[in-house]
Amino acid sequence: MSPVFVIGHRNPDTDSICSAICYAALKRKLTGEEYIACRAGHVNAETQFVLEHFGVEPPRYIASFEPRLSDVQYREVAGINSEMSLRRAWDYMNENDIQTLAVVDEDRHLKGLLTLSDIARFYMEDQDANALAEAKTSYRNLVDVLDGTLVNGELEQPFEQGRVVVAAANPDVLEDYIAPNDMVILGNRYESQLCAIEMNAGCIIIGLGAKVSRTIRKLASENGVSIIATPLDTYTCAKVISQAVPVRHVMRRKGLITFEPEENVEDVKRTVSKKRIRYYPLLDEQGRYIGMFSQRNLLDLERPNVILVDHNERDQAAEGIRSTNIIEIIDHHRIDSVETSGPIYFRNQPLGCTATIITQMYHEKNIEIEPKIAGLLCSAILSDTLMFRSPTCTPLDRMAAEELAKIAGLNIREYAAEMFRSSSRLRDRSMDELFHMDFKYFQVQDRKIAISQITSVSGDELSGIRDKMLEYMESCLKTSGLSMQFAMLTNIIEEKTELLYVGKGAQELVRMAFKKECGEHSVVLPGVVSRKKQMVTPLLGAMEEEAGL
């Protein structure tokens, strides 16, 4: 069974990471199946502290769920050598039930493609009496397709000049048909064999399993004539001999369409939908051939099963979420725009933290909470509720955190202070890193904004980055595609936020939202520490009011 990916939102916070880890662990215990905790962004300093404190590895990073060719079930059919005969290539196609073969060199670099239609076209249109010579067919290939033996000559020597002639006439007439260097197919008539040698044929093929006399071998050797002895009759020899042509003579060299494993499946679909080609070669980053995939492989691609935790908005989900099959959502935010193809398990509770919901689920399923899991869940609750200071915090959050702290052996006050300090040292980081450390997108009609939150236990530290953060927000607004950008500089100890804002109409929007006189680019909001409950609701409400909704 395919694994299920449990993942939080982009730019994940401690709740998003810890909830993914703990819920994946719960699902594994309940089902015995594979649930993989994932993240859609980099781990911030606070979360890194938590993971290191409890000895837990960060979840798997998934930049995007957009399917890549590496997710497609391709055919690992080995490439063939360009000297292989068409006969062997045909057999290889049948053995592997594939109609396209990659022709490669010793280092697996693609030299060309051979398709079933290429072989058919050669037989119907291109072959003539000179085809073997034009293709410089090796005697090894000739002996192979004729099931014969090279009585005289060199296996690796190519047949480069002459036509293929069937010696059906009497010896006294053959002189008019055989030219120097021709390849002559004949039977066991000594006179015809001798005539072909005297006419300086390049090769004689003696069929019907006839024994080659010592005299003929001697004369052929003296005159540089190759001899192939075969058990086949003359008709069969004439029919199969062109199958000795090497694939390089028939393969396609120009206009080859190749792909690499990391290419986006949707882009590949758009490309191949315009082509009437069944199979396409897959090459690695070094251009080496690794296999074949078909258009059917692209259509049969299985959607990954995903569980969302700590979010349910498409703009906050990992890239490519539309390409997944969402089977569950566990969240404590407002319900927004994620759509599913069918009914799912959706658990949404008005609590301060997703980890509180997951703690409840451990109890409901009678699954013991291990100390390490308890530590992660407790950390998430302390982080999301700012150690119970946030207005989003409920009595259930506090009860859960206190219970989990006992299991994990934590002193809540001391541990929370240490955890919050771990995300400080703001001046050592770039403004880009700080702004994107914990930010989310929100949208009302066609107006899209971003709200970042930067928390600290030090007012001086927040004041120290204020001006640089405003400069950064101004500089990147034009290329962000956003109407406005906001940054919450939240002092956990003093329980207040200085809100920074840039963008046309941002000052007026903040004035409407908080009914307070504002500076050109900032306003201090005492008692405001929660983005979800104290920032998003009034700002989006003001945007809806402006839009007349």
Side-chain angles (χ1 to χ4, degrees):
M1 185 176 177
S2 299
V4 177
F5 300 100
V6 184
I7 191 167
H9 51 74
R10 300 182 204 178
N11 308 295
D13 56 11
T14 300
D15 185 25
S16 180
I17 295 287
C18 293
S19 290
I21 294 171
C22 297
Y23 194 56
L26 174 61
K27 296 294 286 188
R28 286 194 295 271
K29 285 190 174 183
L30 290 173
T31 66
E33 295 171 358
E34 188 177 10
Y35 287 78
I36 300 174
C38 303
R39 56 189 171 93
H42 299 296
V43 175
N44 65 36
E46 178 189 278
T47 310
Q48 187 65 42
F49 165 82
V50 170
L51 296 177
E52 290 177 355
H53 185 91
F54 294 103
V56 177
E57 290 293 319
R60 179 192 296 184
Y61 175 58
I62 294 182
S64 174
F65 280 109
E66 288 287 354
R68 308 284 172 179
L69 278 180
S70 54
D71 301 316
V72 172
Q73 290 188 342
Y74 60 88
R75 298 284 301 276
E76 295 184 23
V77 180
I80 62 173
N81 186 281
S82 61
E83 294 301 320
M84 178 183 281
S85 69
L86 292 181
R87 160 87 165 274
R88 290 304 168 195
W90 171 270
D91 291 342
Y92 193 61
M93 285 180 176
N94 288 330
E95 289 168 7
N96 290 278
D97 190 27
I98 192 169
Q99 297 181 10
T100 303
L101 294 177
V103 184
V104 299
D105 62 16
E106 293 180 354
D107 296 321
R108 301 204 326 273
H109 290 114
L110 189 68
K111 308 302 289 184
L113 291 178
L114 180 73
T115 67
L116 195 61
S117 60
D118 294 329
I119 297 175
R121 188 177 298 108
F122 171 73
Y123 278 109
M124 298 301 295
E125 300 175 3
D126 299 334
Q127 66 165 321
D128 57 29
N130 296 304
L132 292 179
E134 290 172 358
K136 294 180 172 53
T137 306
S138 70
Y139 280 100
R140 178 179 295 280
N141 282 5
L142 288 162
V143 169
D144 180 46
V145 301
L146 294 168
D147 297 326
T149 303
L150 189 65
V151 177
N152 188 57
E154 297 292 333
L155 277 175
E156 302 309 325
Q157 179 184 349
F159 176 68
E160 298 182 286
Q161 291 181 307
R163 305 165 300 147
V164 176
V165 178
V166 177
N170 294 324
D172 55 343
V173 181
L174 283 180
E175 295 179 1
D176 297 330
Y177 293 96
I178 300 175
N181 302 310
D182 282 350
M183 178 174 291
V184 184
I185 301 173
L186 35 72
N188 61 352
R189 296 175 64 178
Y190 178 87
E191 297 84 356
S192 297
Q193 298 169 12
L194 184 60
C195 177
I197 293 172
E198 290 176 347
M199 296 303 295
N200 295 314
C203 174
I204 59 174
I205 299 172
I206 301 175
L208 300 171
K211 185 177 180 181
V212 183
S213 71
R214 186 177 302 173
T215 302
I216 292 296
R217 289 201 302 268
K218 182 174 182 298
L219 289 172
S221 181
E222 291 173 352
N223 288 275
V225 179
S226 299
I227 301 176
I228 299 175
T230 172
L232 305 179
D233 58 49
T234 303
Y235 168 77
T236 305
C237 286
K239 186 175 73 170
V240 303
I241 196 167
S242 57
Q243 297 175 12
V245 166
V247 296
R248 59 175 160 72
H249 184 65
V250 179
M251 70 184 188
R252 301 180 186 184
R253 291 183 170 86
K254 297 180 180 180
L256 303 181
I257 302 174
T258 64
F259 297 95
E260 294 185 1
E262 290 309 304
E263 293 194 55
N264 186 292
V265 167
E266 291 305 315
D267 293 339
V268 174
K269 281 182 180 179
R270 281 191 287 271
T271 300
V272 303
S273 65
K274 304 171 186 176
K275 307 293 180 182
R276 298 184 65 183
I277 301 173
R278 187 167 182 181
Y279 288 95
Y280 296 87
L282 196 60
L283 311 181
D284 65 16
E285 293 179 354
Q286 287 73 43
R288 294 174 302 202
Y289 168 75
I290 54 179
M292 286 278 184
F293 70 92
S294 68
Q295 292 195 40
R296 179 177 291 276
N297 293 138
L298 300 178
L299 298 174
D300 291 343
L301 183 63
E302 184 179 354
R303 287 169 164 276
N305 289 327
V306 171
I307 295 175
L308 304 184
V309 295
D310 198 33
H311 71 300
N312 69 84
E313 298 186 47
R314 186 184 301 113
D315 286 344
Q316 295 179 16
E319 291 285 347
I321 198 65
R322 290 178 182 273
S323 300
T324 68
N325 180 32
I326 299 172
I327 59 173
E328 290 186 32
I329 299 176
I330 313 296
D331 190 22
H332 69 123
H333 296 95
R334 67 178 188 141
I335 297 173
D336 196 71
S337 56
V338 168
E339 298 177 0
T340 62
S341 58
I344 66 168
Y345 180 78
F346 192 142
R347 182 156 180 167
N348 184 279
Q349 293 179 245
L351 297 173
C353 184
T354 305
T356 304
I357 303 174
I358 293 172
T359 301
Q360 291 178 334
M361 296 176 78
Y362 268 88
H363 291 325
E364 291 164 4
K365 301 298 183 180
N366 294 318
I367 300 296
E368 181 181 356
I369 302 177
E370 301 170 3
K372 187 177 293 187
I373 295 294
L376 296 178
L377 292 170
C378 181
S379 300
I381 297 171
L382 295 175
S383 175
D384 251 25
T385 66
L386 299 177
M387 203 181 77
F388 317 131
R389 289 181 170 88
S390 172
T392 62
C393 183
T394 69
L396 285 176
D397 293 301
R398 186 162 195 146
M399 288 172 56
E402 290 172 350
E403 174 202 352
L404 293 165
K406 289 180 181 179
I407 298 172
L410 297 175
N411 179 301
I412 286 181
R413 185 171 295 276
E414 293 177 1
Y415 175 73
E418 190 178 0
M419 182 179 71
F420 290 136
R421 279 196 299 270
S422 70
S423 61
S424 295
R425 300 184 295 276
L426 303 180
R427 295 182 187 183
D428 298 336
R429 302 179 190 175
S430 70
M431 294 302 105
D432 182 73
E433 179 185 0
L434 287 174
F435 184 79
H436 291 94
M437 189 163 58
D438 182 11
F439 93 127
K440 293 182 179 180
Y441 292 111
F442 301 92
Q443 187 163 347
V444 172
Q445 291 190 326
D446 59 346
R447 299 176 73 193
K448 189 175 183 180
I449 66 172
I451 306 176
S452 171
Q453 184 169 27
I454 302 157
T455 60
S456 177
V457 293
S458 168
D460 290 340
E461 196 170 45
L462 291 170
S463 298
I465 67 166
R466 177 189 181 281
D467 293 339
K468 289 183 179 179
M469 179 57 68
L470 269 175
E471 288 178 13
Y472 168 80
M473 292 165 65
E474 287 276 17
S475 67
C476 70
L477 179 64
K478 294 178 181 178
T479 58
S480 68
L482 301 170
S483 302
M484 309 171 196
Q485 290 186 150
F486 300 85
M488 297 172 63
L489 306 185
T490 302
N491 187 316
I492 299 172
I493 301 301
E494 296 181 15
E495 298 186 39
K496 69 178 183 179
T497 288
E498 181 177 11
L499 179 64
L500 310 181
Y501 40 83
V502 296
K504 185 178 180 180
Q507 181 182 7
E508 178 61 20
L509 184 71
V510 172
R511 188 195 65 76
M512 288 177 60
F514 296 100
K515 307 296 188 289
K516 184 171 184 175
E517 288 304 314
C518 306
E520 184 179 2
H521 290 296
S522 73
V523 64
V524 175
L525 302 172
V528 173
V529 293
S530 168
R531 175 173 52 197
K532 181 180 76 170
K533 196 164 187 177
Q534 295 173 294
M535 186 62 58
V536 174
T537 300
L539 276 180
L540 295 191
M543 289 175 69
E544 290 172 355
E545 185 179 340
E546 283 188 339
L549 299 178

